[in-house]
């Protein structure tokens, strides 16, 4: 996202548009990739609600949140692009609020990767996670990425 300081992320968080909704997909590659035809779209506020449930010392991935929504709503999968966008909106909305914080730093990308799109970038998320007892690994030489060590052992079950 760009120009984060100029946007009202709390308004975006509460703008559900036409969600929740379902869509039937027919593209063979997508069906094979995601394991079915019923795609669910969760509204942004639902991501925020789930992210608030993750306790101190635990983490979750965006993928696990998507799996939770799909199962809870009898869908084959939850749409992945809006999921990533809505998790970022929840993070920035929390950052803009003075109360009712969402511990967004506990929500990781696939394979336990930190999210560069969160407020303060990787460094801020790294500091918050380390303060909760997590070890952060740096991987790569040119395309450096950061991961929570053994994140699988610290996953919160929804």
């Amino acid at each position: 996202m760009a120009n984060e300081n100029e946007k009202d992320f709390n308004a975006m968080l509460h703008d559900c548009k036409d969600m929740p909704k379902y869509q039937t997909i027919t593209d063979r590659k997508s069906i094979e990739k995601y394991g079915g035809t019923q795609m669910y779209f969760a509204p942004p506020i639902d991501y925020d609600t789930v992210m608030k449930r993750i306790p101190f010392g635990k983490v979750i991935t965006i993928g696990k949140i998507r799996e939770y929504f799909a199962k809870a709503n009898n869908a084959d999968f939850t749409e992945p692009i809006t999921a990533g966008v809505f998790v970022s909106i929840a993070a920035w909305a929390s950052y803009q609020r003075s109360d009712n914080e969402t511990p967004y730093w506990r929500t990781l990308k696939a394979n336990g990767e930190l999210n560069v799109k969160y407020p303060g970038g990787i460094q801020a998320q790294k500091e918050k996670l380390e303060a909760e007892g997590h070890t952060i690994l740096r991987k790569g030489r040119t395309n450096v990425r950061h991961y929570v060590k053994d994140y699988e052992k610290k996953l919160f079950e929804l």
Side-chain angles (χ1 to χ4, degrees):
M1 290 185 206
N3 303 319
E4 284 83 0
N5 294 328
E6 299 172 13
K7 297 177 182 175
D8 183 351
F9 285 97
N10 284 286
M12 295 166 80
L13 186 68
H14 291 90
D15 182 2
C16 293
K17 301 201 184 295
D18 58 347
M19 294 177 237
K21 72 177 181 179
Y22 297 86
Q23 182 176 336
T24 301
I25 60 166
T26 57
D27 174 65
R28 174 173 279 136
K29 283 187 175 183
S30 295
I31 293 168
E32 289 174 10
K33 181 177 181 177
Y34 296 115
T37 61
Q38 273 301 106
M39 180 168 58
Y40 179 72
F41 291 80
I45 193 68
D46 287 3
Y47 287 90
D48 188 68
T49 300
V50 169
M51 291 165 71
K52 282 182 173 160
R53 292 177 50 192
I54 313 309
F56 183 96
K58 293 288 188 179
V59 294
I60 196 160
T61 64
I62 297 170
K64 290 290 184 189
I65 295 173
R66 289 181 50 237
E67 287 174 15
Y68 169 77
F69 284 145
K71 184 177 180 182
N73 293 282
N74 298 313
D76 296 315
F77 66 100
T78 301
E79 201 282 327
I81 295 172
T82 57
V85 170
F86 293 168
V87 163
S88 289
I89 288 172
W92 280 96
S94 177
Y95 181 75
Q96 289 179 343
R97 290 191 301 268
S98 59
D99 62 348
N100 196 19
E101 182 177 56
T102 300
Y104 59 85
W105 56 90
R106 297 176 188 151
T107 300
L108 309 172
K109 293 170 60 175
N111 303 312
E113 185 178 356
L114 275 59
N115 195 334
V116 70
K117 294 181 180 178
Y118 284 167
I122 296 296
Q123 187 60 37
Q125 186 180 17
K126 178 179 181 278
E127 289 171 8
K128 288 178 178 290
L129 288 167
E130 287 175 338
E132 294 189 8
H134 300 286
T135 300
I136 307 303
L137 303 174
R138 178 185 162 123
K139 296 182 182 180
R141 288 196 170 132
T142 54
N143 186 17
V144 177
R145 294 181 176 197
H146 296 81
Y147 299 84
V148 172
K149 181 181 179 182
D150 298 326
Y151 80 96
E152 304 96 326
K153 296 177 184 174
K154 298 166 184 168
L155 282 173
F156 180 73
E157 293 295 323
L158 292 170

